Amino acid sequence: MSPAYEPVIGLEVHAELQTQSKMFCTCRVIDPTDAEPNTAVCPVCAGMPGTLPVVNRMAVEFALRVALALECTINETSVFARKNYFYPDLPKGYQITQYEQPLAEHGRLIIHTSTGERTIRVRRVHLEEDTGKLTHMSGATAVAMAEGSPDNTERPYTLVDLNRAGVPLLEIVSEPDMHSIEEARVYAEGLREILRYVEVNSGDMEKGVIRFEANVSVRPVGELELGKRVEIKNLNSFRALERATAFEIERQSKVLSDGGHVDQETLGWDDIKEQTYSQRSKEEAHDYRYFPEPDLPPLVVDPAWIDRVRLGLPELPHAKYKRFVSEYGLTEYAASRLVESRRVADYFEQAAGSDSVSARSLANWIVGELFALANLAG
Ligand code: ADP
Ligand code: MG
Ligand code: ZN
């Protein structure tokens, strides 16, 4: 009989902070689906030499909301760093991010799965800037789009759109605390709920405003030491997150049970073939030549500001869920479905306020018939 393996999963979640303007300049943050390419770009986010970044105060406030909702400790002083690498979507040749001193650390998210309640630790929450968007296409498509001007139909072309370059991005890194695909999915969904509750992100996955990277390893059941992990980049949907993680758990378990070893590497996910593929061997921090960003002072958030943000937070999904179960006697299932969205939860409470209906049957009607109708109506 082959030994059983336990999966170990840690997630890195990137969420755009949907502020009015970008992280370090006054360009607008625009909906990628309704703007012409390269219309929200200035010398700062286009990486022109001699320009200087200025931190967007509202982006810091949005980041604080999320970090506090995740019960993190806020570092009153955090430091921006340069992460150096070349790619056509990164005009400066480096990304401004936070490295050794992030904005927040040591948080947690409580999740509910089919096996009960679990706490997933959040290692860090830090601020950075998004990159531009590349669109790869065949020469034939490019020729058709440009009405004949690229003359080589054989060669592939890549279009560069810098509207997204410099949009504030929050990175939320978990500890390797998840041990099933379900836990990874529920954690990712829980983060999306929180981002929407505190009104920093629309949660529109199909627009790419939340993206996942999954770190996956397996180890023999009972083993305490972590196995060698892979990192799967650019997972843009819950479905991709689940499929890619499942694929890796199976692949790595087979490698180990055949007596092989797992290589530590960075993988991509092919949505069509439904398999991971090797992108590169795992990069190390020193490959990026991180150093403190000389154009920005340390970021200092004063305790009064942190307190103000904390007091302004709404009731969060987990607390609301607990209250719905105890106050209205709802089933755990109905309560968890109702709190997925703040608007639905508010709607339920308003309707439950009239004594003519029982809260329980109201909840069942909403998560049953009403949700079914809403789905049908798109
Ligand atoms: P890096 O910055 O190189 O990506 P980190 O040590 O910061 O590496 O870890 C990134 C993510 O990988 C975290 O979410 C962490 O929980 C997860 N992780 C680390 N080791 C493992 C492992 N052996 N198996 C699964 N996930 C892991
Ligand atoms: Mg990583
Ligand atoms: Zn700009």
Side-chain angles (χ1 to χ4, degrees), residues 99-299:
Y99 179 53
E100 280 174 334
Q101 278 171 264
L103 180 71
E105 295 171 276
H106 313 307
R108 61 177 189 153
L109 181 67
I110 297 169
I111 60 170
H112 306 270
T113 66
S114 54
T115 55
E117 195 170 289
R118 296 250 306 118
T119 298
I120 309 301
R121 291 170 302 158
V122 171
R123 181 182 291 178
R124 56 188 274 141
V125 173
H126 75 244
L127 271 165
E128 56 188 37
E129 55 179 336
D130 210 344
T131 57
K133 191 169 164 47
L134 301 181
T135 306
H136 306 289
M137 58 179 62
S138 71
T141 309
V143 168
M145 278 183 65
E147 291 170 0
S149 74
D151 53 13
N152 189 338
T153 55
E154 303 299 310
R155 193 171 3 138
Y157 285 83
T158 297
L159 305 181
V160 182
D161 176 8
L162 296 181
N163 283 347
R164 203 180 68 183
V167 167
L169 201 61
L170 199 65
E171 178 164 342
I172 305 164
V173 182
S174 83
E175 293 292 344
D177 283 351
M178 288 157 274
H179 299 288
S180 68
I181 298 159
E182 184 193 11
E183 284 180 5
R185 185 193 171 103
V186 174
Y187 168 81
E189 287 172 340
L191 284 186
R192 177 174 175 272
E193 276 173 26
I194 293 216
L195 290 162
R196 296 182 72 210
Y197 263 68
V198 303
E199 298 179 317
V200 303
N201 182 293
S202 65
D204 288 333
M205 305 293 301
E206 64 286 356
K207 291 185 179 170
V209 295
I210 304 176
R211 284 130 30 205
F212 309 118
E213 284 167 25
N215 293 267
V216 183
S217 64
V218 300
R219 62 185 173 190
V221 169
E223 170 69 57
L224 293 180
E225 212 171 299
L226 294 177
K228 270 261 163 44
R229 64 160 156 151
V230 299
E231 178 169 348
I232 319 167
K233 292 276 186 196
N234 287 325
L235 301 168
N236 295 333
S237 66
F238 293 111
R239 187 188 145 91
L241 171 66
E242 284 182 319
R243 297 287 172 102
T245 306
F247 181 89
E248 271 307 302
I249 293 169
E250 193 147 315
R251 185 188 69 83
Q252 293 179 24
S253 302
K254 178 141 198 330
V255 167
L256 293 188
S257 66
D258 288 349
H261 64 272
V262 174
D263 291 324
Q264 181 156 337
E265 58 184 343
T266 300
L267 305 176
W269 170 246
D270 186 327
D271 236 338
I272 313 276
K273 291 192 194 146
E274 300 225 321
Q275 59 193 39
T276 57
Y277 58 91
S278 183
Q279 285 189 326
R280 52 178 188 256
S281 61
K282 172 90 181 107
E283 74 282 6
E284 301 287 340
H286 63 245
D287 295 331
Y288 291 114
R289 296 291 188 274
Y290 281 99
F291 61 87
E293 169 58 64
D295 289 339
L296 290 169
L299 176 66

Side-chain angles (χ1 to χ4, degrees), residues 11-62:
L11 291 184
E12 295 167 77
V13 177
H14 285 100
E16 283 184 5
L17 298 175
Q18 293 174 313
T19 45
Q20 296 280 318
S21 57
K22 291 188 181 180
M23 186 67 222
F24 302 115
C25 63
T26 56
C27 289
R28 285 173 310 132
V29 170
I30 46 182
D31 185 325
T33 55
D34 63 28
E36 289 294 307
N38 298 308
T39 50
V41 183
C42 74
V44 175
C45 57
M48 296 293 145
T51 59
L52 287 171
V54 177
V55 171
N56 176 346
R57 186 180 176 86
M58 196 48 94
V60 178
E61 172 138 351
F62 278 21

